[in-house]
Amino acid sequence: MDRIGFGIEHPKIAVYVEHKPKIAGYIDFGIHRALEPGEIQWIGQEAGNGWRKQFNVFAKLLNALNHPAYTQHQLKPWQSYRDQHLLQATGKEAYLFSPPVLNEEPTIHLIAGRTYAKKLLDQQLVSLTLIWLDDEFAIDTEHRVIVCPFFDYRQLSNIKIERLCELIRTLY
């Protein structure tokens, strides 16, 4: 299955979301590629505040994670990483609109949203043995998959980002 989304080809962390930005050039987006400098800001302006929030939450997560893959680009504040590296060729991550490909090590897979995770399972687009930790977080350690809240400030608050970081750390 071909990947569709933004970021590098072999990410350390891959986030899976159901919907693409609803703007020209992205609605029918059918490839996987790194974003260009300034493209995140442009998508946020054109596709709306929700996309700006998704990118912000992703950058905040990576900053809070303090993962060895990110220490060379660890920039404070998190906005610096978002603007200079997130989903670009110099980053270490991907934001994907296609189902997870689970045979890739050492990628950590984050499925953003319980509803989306259940849809992937119901449609047999992914085979996982999830252990639900509560209503929002689930983990499959064998496949290095975590189901987490959607990347939005209200759903994935700073406290939940810290919890997600703890779960990610158990996988590397």
Side-chain angles (χ1 to χ4, degrees):
M1 179 178 298
D2 291 334
R3 277 196 184 142
I4 299 170
F6 309 138
I8 66 168
E9 189 65 33
H10 300 286
K12 298 294 181 194
I13 296 176
V15 176
Y16 301 87
V17 297
E18 186 171 10
H19 301 289
K20 303 171 194 171
K22 294 182 180 179
I23 51 177
Y26 296 92
I27 295 171
D28 297 324
F29 195 77
I31 62 171
H32 180 222
R33 69 166 176 84
L35 295 178
E36 297 295 326
E39 196 169 359
I40 282 180
Q41 181 181 4
W42 184 85
I43 292 170
Q45 289 172 343
E46 295 297 316
N49 198 37
W51 277 94
R52 183 186 59 79
K53 289 178 184 178
Q54 288 181 60
F55 295 136
N56 287 351
V57 169
F58 197 5
K60 288 176 80 170
L61 168 68
L62 296 175
N63 194 343
L65 185 57
N66 200 23
H67 185 283
Y70 293 95
T71 54
Q72 72 181 27
H73 295 304
Q74 198 70 24
L75 301 170
K76 303 288 182 184
W78 56 264
Q79 293 94 331
S80 296
Y81 187 84
R82 178 200 60 204
D83 297 341
Q84 297 175 30
H85 302 287
L86 184 68
L87 303 172
Q88 296 176 42
T90 57
K92 303 280 186 196
E93 62 284 321
Y95 209 70
L96 302 168
F97 314 114
S98 52
V101 177
L102 300 176
N103 60 354
E104 296 183 34
E105 290 293 332
T107 300
I108 294 171
H109 307 273
L110 305 178
I111 301 174
R114 179 183 62 200
T115 303
Y116 183 47
K118 287 182 178 182
K119 181 177 180 178
L120 291 170
L121 290 166
D122 290 346
Q123 294 179 358
Q124 298 180 349
L125 297 172
V126 67
S127 178
L128 299 170
T129 304
L130 291 171
I131 298 170
W132 286 92
L133 306 173
D134 56 31
D135 288 341
E136 298 176 306
F137 290 93
I139 192 166
D140 178 331
T141 55
E142 178 185 350
H143 294 104
R144 300 168 57 104
V145 174
I146 299 171
V147 176
C148 65
F150 186 73
F151 280 35
D152 178 271
Y153 299 140
R154 291 165 294 181
Q155 294 181 50
L156 195 57
S157 64
N158 288 342
I159 291 170
K160 291 177 185 177
I161 286 174
E162 287 300 323
R163 177 144 189 240
L164 181 54
C165 286
E166 291 171 12
L167 292 172
I168 291 170
R169 288 183 194 111
T170 67
L171 299 179
Y172 65 76

